[in-house]
């Protein structure tokens, strides 16, 4: 039986090629994902580990607990503490570290890198071992700066150039005195790093005479743990925390691994989808192969082969196919991993140097996935073939499925579908986070149910295409009959395309609806023409509001000042606003009371009000950061959103209690409204600062739109893999169907059907099957998009379903294109069959 199975594989090489390709693509995606993420993770970990070479023990300030409703303050790392650390037994030296957000503009005045990766710090002394100088000299004073070599290369800066830099105030224009190299993770991720001398950095980052961290280097012969113990003994208890360089490197590696884990899981989900789709193709292929060899298998049974041996022979074929697919998929995956890494570089992302990592786990995963998926998919057709009695197989009386089996299948499909719909509908009534797991379960049940029911659904849906197919005469009629002749095969072929389109449609519906929700939120909640904020999401300096007020054409402003307070033992976010103007700048929906902010009158969002049991007129005691208290009254309860939420109170009440006032954003209303000229005027008033964003409502929406577009394009690219596998499935099914119907096609040719009509018949059959899968995919995708939107709606009041009709029509056209493309080779092959040879074939 083993030799027989191997002969069958070798005898049907062309027939099994599509199956190998389908499995290979899925395996390549899995192994490519593992190679790519392992390589990237290894390179980042090695790079970050180098960054801790100069740190044996790091000393950081320990946040103090809240006392008597007063929010605890983090102690400062002073010069005295630095000197004390340097004198600890076993310490060779100590370096004070200062850092903060620093935006560097390119030669066109635009921010270099992403806002969150734009950092600044201090260069220690005359020779800082952390940052080796590639050229130039150390900086001195506010007029000099060092920049990293990658930023210098990207922006075209060199030593002696003047550069525009913003820290937390006016724009600086220092001269570049040197360029340094670094393994800093932010720079690696495409950001920038600017270094000033220590005194200048402390002044610029608002930390005169203090440090963010003290890095201590151990003397020769002293271990990191011994130095840590000595520092713990010498430094104030409960005020500082010490961590060894090894622990910092391990924590960083763990963090990188965790961040890579999310990327890896996301990519593996799409690999799983491709393999899931491929499973249908494998099962379909082996079903047809077994059906074509029914008489051969029956003869084996007649001469003494047992059912188990017949099943085993089919599984041996699957094992060989899976092994070949696994090995070729692994090789292709290594290429994909290397290609993805190069692609990151092409897109502008900086990836640390390092070897391509192909771990034993990746090799094992590729082979196991290839072999196991193929054998599982082939097991059912093999088992079904083994159960056919030899005499029945010889006379082919087994070919038609019994009424009992069809009723059982349809009943099972209906139960799965009903259960899936019920669970999804129940999930839509839950809170957003609580409903995620039930909705995932319901989606899985519904997809399985629809797949089981697909043979039943194929007849009415394909019958609906009959009027159009009649236009093509005999070819159209034959194509419709061929499509419904074997509903199970048609269903398996269409299901592969259905799954890909379900995901694409569902995600498109959600993205479009979210985009409109953001647009609606920006337009309905804000009357201001502009929102001014920091590029990295940090807080603005308090003088920004004054500069904007003094700008010609500005009619109203309100800073949204950040603060914290304690109410009944609970810490709450406070937002200080200008009470006299906030009503002109916002249009918040008030659920209770009248929107009024000023004096002791505050407005609170509905979530905060609900958590404290407040309504309009409720009074409460606010404990501010400085420990002082004030009695406040709720004037209004409003619907919060991503831009405005929490407790709104007048800045005259909040600011006196803040040690260092700063604003999250500033709302601005102008006499001329939003225009390019007005925006330029505001940006000029702020000193053309690269760190500050001046955004209209349209800009806010476009920023979100870019994010969604990028996300969707990535998803489309990943899901294209599943669609490619589906195309192979259609080609495979049609090619084997043509082989199966060789005698029939020969007879049609003999009674007058010309080659062009045969080609048209096969193409129309493929088109009908693909459109059938496309219609099912669109229907399920819209349903899933609606259901997921109901969950999102619990967190976003402006969310409502938007159906992207244009894109949905495009998806259906693409499904038709898949059908036409997939039919090219099978149709050509069918038209070239020798009619006499075909009539004699079995």
């Amino acid at each position: 039986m083993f030799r027989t199975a191997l002969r069958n594989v070798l005898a049907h090489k062309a027939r099994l090629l599509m199956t190998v390709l389908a499995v290979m693509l899925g395996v390549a995606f899995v192994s490519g994902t593992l190679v790519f993420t392992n390589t990237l993770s290894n390179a980042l970990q090695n790079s970050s580990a180098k960054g801790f070479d100069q740190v044996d023990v790091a000393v950081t300030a320990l946040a103090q607990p809240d006392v008597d409703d007063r929010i605890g303050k983090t102690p400062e790392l002073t010069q005295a503490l630095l000197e004390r650390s340097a004198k600890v037994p076993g310490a060779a030296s100590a370096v004070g570290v200062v850092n903060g957000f620093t935006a560097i503009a390119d030669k066109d005045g635009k921010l270099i890198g992403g806002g969150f990766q734009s950092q600044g710090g201090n260069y220690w002394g005359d020779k800082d071992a952390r940052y080796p100088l590639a050229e130039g000299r150390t900086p001195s004073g506010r007029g000099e700066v060092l920049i990293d070599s990658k930023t210098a290369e990207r922006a075209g800066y060199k030593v002696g150039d003047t550069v525009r830099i913003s820290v937390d105030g006016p724009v600086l224009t220092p001269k570049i005195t040197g360029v340094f190299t670094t393994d800093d993770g932010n720079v690696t991720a495409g950001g920038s790093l600017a270094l000033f001398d220590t005194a200048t950095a402390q002044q610029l980052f608002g930390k005169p005479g203090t440090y963010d961290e003290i890095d201590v280097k151990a003397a020769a012969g002293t271990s990191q743990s011994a130095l840590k113990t000595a520092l713990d003994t010498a430094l104030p208890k409960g005020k500082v925390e010490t961590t060894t360089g090894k622990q910092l490197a391990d924590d960083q590696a763990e963090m990188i691994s965790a961040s890579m884990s999310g990327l890896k899981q996301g990519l593996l989900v799409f690999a799983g989808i491709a393999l899931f789709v491929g499973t249908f193709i494998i099962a379909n292929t082996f079903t047809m192969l077994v059906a074509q060899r029914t008489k051969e298998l029956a003869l084996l049974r007649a001469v003494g082969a047992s059912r188990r041996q017949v099943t085993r022979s089919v599984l041996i074929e699957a094992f060989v196919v899976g092994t070949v697919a696994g090995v070729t998929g692994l090789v292709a995956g290594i290429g994909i991993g290397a290609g993805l890494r190069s692609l990151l570089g092409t897109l502008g992302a900086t990836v640390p140097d390092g070897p391509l990592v192909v771990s034993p786990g990746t090799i094992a995963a590729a082979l196991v996935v290839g072999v196991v998926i193929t054998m599982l998919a082939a097991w059912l057709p093999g088992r079904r073939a083994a159960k056919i009695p030899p005499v029945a197989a010889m006379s082919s009386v087994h070919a038609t499925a019994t009424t009992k089996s069809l009723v059982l299948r349809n009943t099972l499909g209906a139960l799965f579908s009903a259960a899936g719909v019920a669970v999804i509908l129940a999930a839509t009534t839950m809170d957003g986070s609580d409903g995620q797991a039930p909705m995932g379960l319901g989606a899985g049940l519904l997809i399985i149910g629809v797949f089981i029911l697909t043979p039943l659904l194929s007849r009415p849906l394909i019958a609906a295409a009959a009027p159009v197919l009649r236009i093509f005469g005999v070819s159209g009629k034959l194509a419709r009959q061929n499509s419904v002749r074997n509903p199970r095969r048609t269903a398996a072929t269409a299901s592969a395309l259905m799954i890909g389109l379900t995901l694409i449609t569902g995600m498109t519906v959600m993205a479009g609806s979210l985009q409109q929700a953001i647009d609606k939120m920006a337009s309905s909640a804000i009357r201001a023409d502009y929102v001014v904020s920091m590029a990295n999401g940090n807080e603005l300096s308090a003088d920004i509001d004054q500069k904007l007020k003094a700008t010609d054409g500005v009619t109203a402003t309100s800073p949204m000042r950040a603060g914290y307070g304690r109410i009944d033992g609970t810490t709450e976010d406070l937002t200080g606003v200008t009470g006299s103007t906030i009503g002109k700048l916002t249009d918040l929906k008030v659920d209770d009371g009248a929107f009024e902010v000023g004096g002791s009158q505050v407005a609170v969002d509905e979530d905060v009000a609900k958590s404290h049991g407040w309504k309009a007129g409720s009074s409460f005691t606010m404990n501010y950061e400085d420990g002082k208290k004030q009695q406040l009254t709720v004037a209004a309860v409003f619907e919060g959103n991503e831009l405005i939420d929490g407790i709104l109170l007048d800045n005259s009440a909040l600011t006196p209690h803040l040690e260092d006032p700063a604003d999250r954003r500033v709302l601005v209303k102008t006499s001329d409204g939003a225009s390019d000229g007005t925006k330029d005027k505001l940006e000029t008033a702020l000193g053309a600062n690269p760190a500050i964003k001046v955004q209209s409502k349209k800009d806010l929406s476009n920023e979100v739109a870019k994010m969604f577009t990028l996300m969707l394009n990535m998803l489309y690219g990943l899901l294209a893999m599943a669609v490619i596998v589906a195309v192979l499935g259609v080609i495979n099914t049609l090619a084997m169907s043509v082989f199966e119907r060789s005698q029939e096609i020969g007879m049609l040719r003999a009674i007058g059907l010309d080659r062009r009509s045969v080609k048209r018949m096969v193409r129309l059959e493929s088109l009908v099957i693909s459109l059938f899968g496309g219609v099912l995919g669109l229907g399920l995708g819209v349903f899933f998009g609606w259901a997921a939107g109901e969950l999102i709606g619990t967190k976003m009041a402006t969310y409502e379903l938007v159906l992207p009709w244009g894109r949905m029509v495009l998806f259906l056209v693409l499904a038709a294109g898949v059908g036409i493309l997939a039919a090219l080779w099978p149709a050509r092959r069918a038209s070239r069959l020798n009619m006499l040879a075909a009539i004699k074939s079995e």
Side-chain angles (χ1 to χ4, degrees):
M1 294 302 293
F2 181 74
R3 286 197 298 270
T4 302
L6 288 180
R7 274 201 302 269
N8 281 323
V9 172
L10 295 173
H12 305 120
K13 291 187 285 288
R15 230 183 282 174
L16 291 169
L17 177 62
M18 295 299 173
T19 307
V20 172
L21 281 173
V23 185
M24 186 200 77
L25 281 172
V27 172
F29 208 163
V30 171
S31 53
T33 294
L34 294 174
V35 168
F36 170 64
T37 52
N38 288 343
T39 298
L40 193 58
S41 179
N42 181 67
L44 289 172
Q45 286 176 14
N46 289 342
S47 175
S48 68
K50 289 178 187 174
F52 296 111
D53 284 348
Q54 302 301 319
V55 183
D56 285 320
V57 178
V59 181
T60 53
L62 199 59
Q64 301 302 293
D66 299 346
V67 180
D68 297 329
D69 273 334
R70 181 168 180 168
I71 297 172
K73 298 296 181 185
T74 302
E76 296 176 334
L77 301 179
T78 61
Q79 181 68 25
L81 198 64
L82 171 69
E83 293 170 359
R84 191 170 169 183
S85 300
K87 294 175 182 176
V88 165
S93 61
V95 172
V97 178
V98 183
N99 53 48
F101 171 65
T102 302
I104 303 178
D106 61 19
K107 292 185 176 180
D108 295 324
K110 304 297 182 185
L111 177 65
I112 296 174
F116 291 96
Q117 287 86 32
S118 301
Q119 295 295 315
N122 66 312
Y123 189 87
W124 187 259
D126 296 326
K127 190 174 182 181
D128 194 330
R130 299 172 300 167
Y131 307 113
L133 281 176
E135 55 180 309
R137 60 171 178 80
T138 57
S140 176
R142 294 172 70 97
E144 296 183 350
V145 69
L146 300 177
I147 64 172
D148 67 271
S149 56
K150 289 184 172 62
T151 298
E153 184 182 345
R154 285 203 302 271
Y157 285 128
K158 59 183 183 294
V159 174
D161 287 347
T162 298
V163 61
R164 292 177 63 80
I165 289 180
S166 172
V167 180
D168 186 20
V171 173
L172 305 174
T173 53
K175 185 173 76 172
I176 299 172
T177 62
V179 174
F180 61 91
T181 59
T182 178
D183 292 307
D184 185 277
N186 287 314
V187 175
T188 299
S192 61
L193 181 59
L195 300 178
F196 304 89
D197 67 78
T198 299
T200 301
Q202 288 175 326
Q203 291 172 358
L204 290 175
F205 299 129
K207 302 158 188 169
T210 65
Y211 304 96
D212 294 296
E213 181 176 303
I214 297 172
D215 292 342
V216 187
K217 189 75 178 166
T222 304
S223 67
Q224 290 187 354
S225 57
L227 179 59
K228 180 181 185 302
T229 302
L231 286 165
D232 287 338
T233 303
L235 300 181
K237 298 285 189 298
K239 299 290 186 182
V240 297
E241 182 179 24
T242 58
T243 312
T244 64
K246 183 180 183 304
Q247 185 61 51
L248 288 171
D250 290 345
D251 291 344
Q252 185 85 348
E254 189 176 332
M255 186 176 71
I256 290 170
S257 181
S259 64
M260 286 293 103
S261 175
L263 175 64
K264 185 185 293 186
Q265 288 173 7
L267 291 171
L268 286 176
V269 164
F270 290 100
I273 292 167
L275 284 169
F276 185 56
V277 171
T279 302
F280 294 131
I281 298 168
I282 299 162
N284 221 13
T285 301
F286 275 93
T287 299
M288 287 187 281
L289 285 174
V290 169
Q292 290 167 12
R293 289 170 22 221
T294 300
K295 290 186 179 180
E296 175 192 325
L297 295 174
L299 187 59
L300 288 172
R301 290 287 312 282
V303 297
S306 65
R307 286 185 177 182
R308 186 174 294 177
Q309 284 178 309
V310 170
T311 304
R312 197 181 299 148
S313 73
V314 175
L315 290 178
I316 289 169
E317 289 185 52
F319 176 80
V320 173
V321 170
T323 303
V324 172
V327 171
T328 53
L330 174 62
V331 173
I334 294 171
I336 288 173
L340 285 173
R341 180 175 170 174
S342 299
L343 180 63
L344 278 184
T346 305
L347 295 174
T350 309
V351 183
D353 294 331
L356 203 64
V357 178
V358 184
S359 66
T362 300
I363 297 170
L367 294 176
V368 168
V369 166
V371 172
V372 171
I373 290 291
T374 309
M375 291 184 71
L376 283 175
W379 175 75
L380 191 60
R383 184 171 174 272
R384 192 183 298 138
K387 293 174 83 171
I388 300 169
V391 175
M394 290 288 195
S395 56
S396 297
V397 297
H398 67 288
T400 307
T402 63
T403 303
K404 181 181 176 182
S405 71
L406 291 174
V407 169
L408 179 64
R409 179 181 180 123
N410 293 338
T411 303
L412 195 63
L415 289 173
F416 268 98
S417 299
V421 171
V423 172
I424 289 173
L425 292 177
T428 59
T429 63
M430 301 178 185
D431 186 63
S433 53
D434 296 335
Q436 289 176 2
M439 185 159 292
L441 174 64
L445 290 172
L446 181 55
I447 285 178
I448 292 170
V450 170
F451 171 66
I452 296 172
L453 283 175
T454 308
L456 178 68
L457 298 173
S458 65
R459 289 187 177 276
L461 287 176
I462 290 175
V468 178
L469 292 174
R470 285 197 195 100
I471 298 171
F472 300 96
V474 175
S475 297
K477 185 177 180 180
L478 289 170
R480 186 183 67 79
Q481 290 174 348
N482 289 334
S483 301
V484 296
R485 178 186 295 181
N486 192 329
R488 288 182 177 179
R489 186 187 303 167
T490 298
T493 307
S495 295
L497 195 58
M498 175 192 79
I499 291 168
L501 280 178
T502 296
L503 293 164
I504 290 173
T505 304
M507 289 171 180
T508 304
V509 168
M510 285 174 57
S513 301
L514 275 169
Q515 179 60 51
Q516 177 162 300
I518 297 294
D519 290 347
K520 192 174 179 181
M521 183 182 70
S523 60
S524 62
I526 299 176
R527 288 178 180 164
D529 295 317
Y530 289 98
V531 177
V532 179
S533 61
M534 289 289 280
N536 67 334
N538 281 1
E539 294 169 346
L540 293 158
S541 63
D543 66 343
I544 294 294
D545 180 49
Q546 298 302 320
K547 291 180 180 179
L548 291 167
K549 273 183 183 175
T551 305
D552 183 40
V554 172
T555 57
T557 68
S558 174
M560 302 191 71
R561 189 150 294 166
Y564 299 94
R566 291 182 70 81
I567 304 165
D568 299 329
T570 304
T571 301
E572 295 285 1
D573 287 335
L574 305 179
T575 301
V577 297
T578 303
S580 59
T581 60
I582 191 66
K584 303 173 188 175
L585 299 165
T586 60
D587 189 17
L588 299 168
K589 183 180 178 184
V590 177
D591 295 332
D592 185 21
F595 191 83
E596 182 181 347
V597 178
S600 63
Q601 300 284 331
V602 302
V604 300
D605 75 43
E606 54 192 3
D607 290 336
V608 173
K610 186 178 179 181
S611 67
H612 290 282
W614 294 337
K615 58 183 179 180
S618 297
S619 295
F620 61 93
T621 302
M622 174 67 70
N623 296 275
Y624 291 106
E625 293 178 37
D626 59 357
K628 295 181 180 178
K629 299 181 180 181
Q630 183 181 6
Q631 193 75 10
L632 299 174
T633 302
V634 176
V637 177
F638 64 91
E639 285 188 8
N641 55 57
E642 281 71 13
L643 292 174
I644 305 171
D645 59 5
I647 300 174
L648 305 185
L649 68 164
D650 197 277
N651 274 319
S652 62
L654 176 63
T655 304
H657 304 286
L658 301 179
E659 185 178 334
D660 185 18
D663 302 325
R664 292 191 183 103
R665 59 186 69 89
V666 179
L667 305 181
V668 182
K669 188 80 173 172
T670 62
S671 56
D672 297 331
S675 66
D676 291 340
T678 304
K679 185 175 181 178
D680 289 342
K681 191 187 297 182
L682 294 177
E683 288 178 341
T684 302
L686 297 174
N689 195 321
I692 298 177
K693 294 192 295 185
V694 178
Q695 295 176 293
S696 65
K697 289 185 279 189
K698 186 178 179 182
D699 293 333
L700 288 170
S701 296
N702 289 343
E703 189 174 61
V704 177
K706 283 181 183 176
M707 181 179 69
F708 282 132
T709 302
L710 178 63
M711 179 186 72
L712 268 182
N713 288 340
M714 288 175 63
L715 292 174
Y716 288 160
L718 293 169
L719 287 171
M721 182 69 72
V723 175
I724 290 170
V725 175
V727 171
L728 290 173
V730 178
I731 295 172
N732 206 15
T733 301
L734 288 173
M736 299 192 77
S737 179
V738 167
F739 179 86
E740 229 178 29
R741 303 197 322 251
S742 294
Q743 192 175 54
E744 174 192 322
I745 292 170
M747 290 293 292
L748 289 171
R749 292 275 286 113
I751 61 174
L753 197 68
D754 59 17
R755 287 186 173 181
R756 181 177 295 178
S757 298
V758 170
K759 278 185 182 178
R760 189 182 299 131
M761 175 187 73
V762 176
R763 287 171 184 163
L764 289 172
E765 181 183 346
S766 175
L767 182 63
V768 166
I769 292 172
S770 297
L771 285 175
F772 169 53
V775 169
L776 286 180
L778 286 176
L780 283 174
V782 169
F783 179 67
F784 289 148
W786 166 80
E790 290 296 297
L791 287 185
I792 296 170
T794 62
K795 299 292 185 183
M796 186 178 286
T798 54
Y799 184 92
E800 61 182 40
L801 182 68
V802 176
L803 294 181
W805 293 107
R807 290 206 176 191
M808 288 164 62
V809 170
L810 177 62
F811 294 156
L812 207 56
V813 170
L814 286 174
V818 164
I820 294 169
L821 179 68
L824 291 177
W825 177 60
R828 186 170 178 272
R829 184 183 173 197
S831 68
R832 289 175 174 270
L833 283 176
N834 183 294
M835 68 179 74
L836 293 178
I839 289 170
K840 289 193 295 181
S841 66
E842 293 187 5

